[in-house]
Amino acid sequence: MCGAEDMHNENKSVPEGTPSSSSLKAVVGVLGVSTVGLLVATIVLAVQKGNAPAATSTAGGLCKNPENKDYGANKCSGMRPDWPNTECVVEGMGEQSGANVTRGYNGQKSTDVVPITTPYREKGLCPVNVHWHLGAEHYSKGEFDENGKGPVEFHEGRIGFQCSYYDAEDEKFTKPYDWEWCIGMTVGQTYEIHWPHSAAGECNSPWQYQTPFYDGVFCNLDESAISTLSRQDVASNVGVQSQTFVVVNDEDYYYPDLFTGMIVDQEEGKGIDLAIYTGSTTGTSRSNEICSPFNPITWQVDRTCHLISASSFDKMCQQMESQADNMKDDLYAHGSRPLVTDELAADNHVQRKRKGRTLL
């Protein structure tokens, strides 16, 4: 049975015209770097409007599989292209993430690519995964930066920037939580959640959510259509939402749906002040010497830090385990990539504040 609670977040529904196996004409994706130079990652979608399948879920395609129902073969499995990381000094290497997202910042890497500045759902993208990083991979001065703090505990993986909310004298930051689903999580710690989106995902189906997320992003990749097309096509069809939280043991900060996308709440200032730019995939296998070939993709980053209850995270992990493609390998915090240098950050940062559900 598919479905979800009707929550106010970025991906409450997928619009008419979302790509499906019947309407996807061509998905082009070449994202590697080779000895002859950088191949450009491109996704080209020609959607027959009105031919999208009937939605099997709400809230961005949430489709649970609590009884391990047999949905047949996972068509997205193994769809990640085998493109290795490459030295950042290679000519033609594209812009990287995570970057500084402080209001007013702009990178120094010249790019003619324009990021998506409207909600992804309006462009036919759907969320294909959710995962998070230990600390923040992005940097937002005064929100998650070098002055942040958190619990002094051993963590596997590199820790990124922290928010400044942590107070060792306040038990909501220190009282242990009995985690049932998430693995290795710590109350009081900062985590940056990522929701990868793609117009080539298996939207509105039990296989929409995938681990690893690359399988979801490239699920409907047509190998015969691979070519070196526009970089702009990539950034217009692949994007990530990013939002940073400090986990607290306090139900006053409970939110019932972290699974399907960024929280948008005008009154609480969640998902309102955004930095939008083009960059790359992240993670600890990349640095300022070794870069990701998966670029350019759009990033929409909430530059404000928020508090969230541990139970909200745990519910998200429960939802992840109940997907058709069990997401157990994303139930823990991944390590954080070091902040990319100005030279690797794109010079196309867009400053946006949201009014209601509209980007201004």
Side-chain angles (χ1 to χ4, degrees):
M1 177 178 180
C2 298
E5 298 176 64
D6 187 9
M7 293 302 129
H8 187 57
N9 66 15
E10 187 62 37
N11 302 294
K12 185 175 178 180
S13 63
V14 179
E16 181 182 7
T18 296
S20 67
S21 58
S22 62
S23 63
L24 191 65
K25 293 297 185 182
V27 182
V28 181
V30 181
L31 276 166
V33 177
S34 67
T35 55
V36 296
L38 177 67
L39 293 178
V40 181
T42 307
I43 294 180
V44 176
L45 299 168
V47 179
Q48 297 174 344
K49 187 171 180 62
N51 201 29
T56 57
S57 62
T58 60
L62 173 60
C63 191
K64 299 181 180 180
N65 188 18
E67 299 176 357
N68 293 319
K69 182 177 179 180
D70 184 7
Y71 289 109
N74 179 5
K75 65 176 293 185
C76 305
S77 180
M79 292 303 291
R80 170 180 176 163
D82 186 19
W83 297 323
N85 295 330
T86 306
E87 291 185 0
C88 298
V89 295
V90 171
E91 183 177 357
M93 175 57 67
E95 52 263 51
Q96 298 290 300
S97 297
N100 188 335
V101 293
T102 303
R103 179 163 285 277
Y105 173 83
N106 208 2
Q108 297 178 5
K109 190 169 188 60
S110 178
T111 180
D112 59 358
V113 177
V114 178
I116 302 169
T117 57
T118 59
Y120 292 149
R121 69 183 185 283
E122 294 181 4
K123 299 297 184 181
L125 282 66
C126 67
V128 296
N129 173 274
V130 58
H131 64 273
W132 54 95
H133 294 263
L134 178 61
E137 292 192 298
H138 288 88
Y139 175 97
S140 181
K141 185 66 175 178
E143 293 290 336
F144 29 97
D145 59 20
E146 68 278 5
N147 297 316
K149 53 188 176 180
V152 181
E153 293 188 14
F154 171 78
H155 299 280
E156 291 190 13
R158 182 185 179 278
I159 189 168
F161 297 105
Q162 292 183 305
C163 303
S164 298
Y165 285 115
Y166 182 79
D167 181 354
E169 301 302 317
D170 187 338
E171 73 169 6
K172 71 172 173 282
F173 295 103
T174 60
K175 183 180 178 180
Y177 177 79
D178 185 15
W179 298 92
E180 295 186 59
W181 302 95
C182 298
I183 298 171
M185 299 287 288
T186 302
V187 170
Q189 188 55 264
T190 298
Y191 299 98
E192 180 177 324
I193 302 181
H194 293 168
W195 293 271
H197 288 60
S198 175
E202 188 66 0
C203 303
N204 291 321
S205 89
W207 299 112
Q208 177 172 325
Y209 285 85
Q210 295 285 320
T211 293
F213 70 85
Y214 295 94
D215 285 353
V217 169
F218 291 97
C219 183
N220 284 298
L221 176 68
D222 183 353
E223 293 289 351
S224 65
I226 291 179
S227 63
T228 57
L229 298 180
S230 165
R231 282 165 43 90
Q232 183 61 59
D233 289 331
V234 184
S236 296
N237 288 283
V238 180
V240 184
Q241 292 175 339
S242 170
Q243 202 163 35
T244 298
F245 299 92
V246 173
V247 173
V248 294
N249 193 347
D250 187 337
E251 293 309 300
D252 285 345
Y253 298 93
Y254 176 74
Y255 186 79
D257 183 18
L258 274 182
F259 181 72
T260 57
M262 177 185 291
I263 300 174
V264 179
D265 189 315
Q266 186 80 35
E267 291 185 1
E268 295 188 1
K270 291 183 174 72
I272 303 301
D273 189 9
L274 304 182
I276 303 175
Y277 72 102
T278 57
S280 69
T281 54
T282 63
T284 54
S285 67
R286 288 92 186 216
S287 63
N288 285 310
E289 290 75 41
I290 300 297
C291 279
S292 167
F294 294 90
N295 67 80
I297 59 178
T298 292
W299 281 85
Q300 295 187 356
V301 183
D302 185 349
R303 54 165 58 94
T304 305
C305 182
H306 310 284
L307 301 182
I308 195 76
S309 73
S311 59
S312 302
F313 250 94
D314 220 23
K315 180 178 180 182
M316 174 174 61
C317 290
Q318 181 183 21
Q319 290 172 288
M320 293 168 68
E321 280 227 61
S322 66
Q323 297 306 296
D325 182 36
N326 192 306
M327 301 173 70
K328 62 182 180 180
D329 289 339
D330 278 328
L331 296 177
Y332 61 93
H334 300 270
S336 288
R337 179 183 185 171
L339 180 70
V340 300
T341 62
D342 296 340
E343 291 76 18
L344 292 175
D347 66 353
N348 61 359
H349 282 231
V350 179
Q351 317 298 321
R352 285 290 188 272
K353 279 203 172 183
R354 194 193 310 260
K355 183 177 181 180
R357 294 175 66 85
T358 303
L359 292 176
L360 301 180

